[in-house]
Amino acid sequence: MIVRDTPYPDGMPCWVDLRVPDPRMAMDFYGALFGWAFADQGDETGNYLLCLVNGRIVAGLGGSPPDQQAPPVWTTYLATSNVDATAERVRNAGGRLLTEPTDTLWGSRMAIAADPAGAVFGLWQAGRVIGAQLTQAPSALMWNECLTRDFSAAEEFYGHVFGYAIGRQEDQEPAYGTFVSDERIVGGLGELSPEVPADVPSHWMTYFGVVDTDAVAARAIELDGTVIAPPKDSPYGRVSALSDNQGVAFSVITVTAEPEPEA
């Protein structure tokens, strides 16, 4: 368990939020699946919701913007101390800005971008909301990874934008590596298998911690979700890929580490 009340280091995944056509359906699903409470941020935010575990912020939830045709999705936000400068590096490295840097009502500043292969991610400059206050715990954010159809291009892009080194795992096919910043592993980079259907684009995947992966997968089905990839063991915990009751994909992984304070 990591509890944080100061801004995340640049380049670290710091926040995830869900944009869906029906936020009430999402509240019903995730409230039942993860035990989240929800804090409505008011009409001026479009009734954006902060998702809470034991009173600590773990994620955000809002309605799909009416002027955008973007599919419903969990978006991973990467921390930056200067969102405008980072946005410029995104452009220079061959990425695109889908939403220009803009201020939020919490004094934060954010943007939405896509890498050269099309994987969409956010940039988050901390304000009163620094991002997730609780991670590495049940019902909270555990891991984020970029799954891409062009591993080398993604490696070059994220290295340029965030200064990541890539800890590539030898002899692994499809290719997989970790984003390393200041000698700290902050996320993953994986190559999509050729068996993955061509209509699945490059994307960022969000993992939430759970105590029992099999039980959560079964509960997701009861809540009108879907199991995309059945539970299986991994070196880091038992994992499963799921989709919610509006078809949005996410993953869960068993929390195996002992609680530890953030350094």
Side-chain angles (χ1 to χ4, degrees), residues 162-255:
F162 294 105
Y164 294 145
I166 304 297
R168 190 159 181 171
Q169 297 182 4
E170 297 296 332
D171 301 322
Q172 180 157 334
E173 294 294 338
Y176 195 87
T178 52
F179 291 128
V180 181
S181 178
D182 291 332
E183 301 183 351
R184 181 196 305 235
I185 294 173
V186 298
L189 175 63
E191 182 180 31
L192 285 169
S193 166
E195 287 76 31
V196 174
D199 61 350
V200 176
S202 299
H203 61 279
W204 277 80
M205 175 62 76
T206 296
Y207 288 73
F208 295 104
V210 295
V211 174
D212 186 332
T213 297
D214 295 76
V216 169
R219 182 62 173 144
I221 294 173
E222 294 174 356
L223 296 168
D224 294 326
T226 303
V227 174
I228 300 172
K232 68 176 182 179
D233 292 327
S234 81
Y236 310 102
R238 194 160 172 80
V239 299
S240 181
L242 310 172
S243 65
D244 65 20
N245 56 352
Q246 295 181 75
V248 183
F250 64 99
S251 292
V252 295
I253 184 167
T254 305
V255 178

Side-chain angles (χ1 to χ4, degrees), residues 111-133:
I112 302 294
D115 70 21
V120 174
F121 62 98
L123 303 174
W124 190 265
Q125 182 177 326
R128 291 188 299 278
V129 174
I130 62 165
Q133 295 175 327

Side-chain angles (χ1 to χ4, degrees), residues 33-63:
L33 191 71
F34 292 141
W36 286 349
F38 301 94
D40 191 324
Q41 299 303 289
D43 292 343
E44 65 272 25
T45 69
N47 297 108
Y48 188 86
L49 301 161
L50 296 179
C51 310
L52 309 175
V53 172
N54 296 328
R56 295 190 175 100
I57 301 169
V58 295
L61 168 59

Side-chain angles (χ1 to χ4, degrees), residues 9-215:
D10 283 14
M12 180 176 285
C14 64
W15 182 241
V16 291
D17 75 358
L18 175 65
R19 293 286 186 169
V20 285
D22 191 333
R24 169 53 64 181
M25 283 181 63
M27 290 173 68
D28 291 343
F29 180 88
Y30 291 99
L33 191 71
F34 292 141
W36 286 349
F38 301 94
D40 191 324
Q41 299 303 289
D43 292 343
E44 65 272 25
T45 69
N47 297 108
Y48 188 86
L49 301 161
L50 296 179
C51 310
L52 309 175
V53 172
N54 296 328
R56 295 190 175 100
I57 301 169
V58 295
L61 168 59
S64 299
D67 58 340
Q68 296 182 15
Q69 299 300 314
V73 67
W74 276 106
T75 299
T76 292
Y77 291 76
L78 305 175
T80 173
S81 53
N82 188 329
V83 72
D84 295 84
T86 305
E88 188 61 27
R89 289 199 299 274
V90 167
R91 291 191 184 97
N92 293 340
R96 295 179 294 124
L97 287 183
L98 307 181
T99 301
E100 294 287 335
T102 185
D103 294 327
T104 75
L105 293 176
W106 305 297
S108 310
R109 193 159 169 79
M110 55 81 66
I112 302 294
D115 70 21
V120 174
F121 62 98
L123 303 174
W124 190 265
Q125 182 177 326
R128 291 188 299 278
V129 174
I130 62 165
Q133 295 175 327
L134 176 69
T135 61
Q136 305 299 306
S139 301
L141 184 63
M142 286 288 291
W143 182 247
N144 305 79
E145 64 187 9
C146 177
L147 299 173
T148 182
R149 294 194 180 277
D150 193 334
F151 189 94
S152 296
E155 186 176 25
E156 182 177 353
F157 172 81
Y158 290 103
H160 176 85
V161 175
F162 294 105
Y164 294 145
I166 304 297
R168 190 159 181 171
Q169 297 182 4
E170 297 296 332
D171 301 322
Q172 180 157 334
E173 294 294 338
Y176 195 87
T178 52
F179 291 128
V180 181
S181 178
D182 291 332
E183 301 183 351
R184 181 196 305 235
I185 294 173
V186 298
L189 175 63
E191 182 180 31
L192 285 169
S193 166
E195 287 76 31
V196 174
D199 61 350
V200 176
S202 299
H203 61 279
W204 277 80
M205 175 62 76
T206 296
Y207 288 73
F208 295 104
V210 295
V211 174
D212 186 332
T213 297
D214 295 76

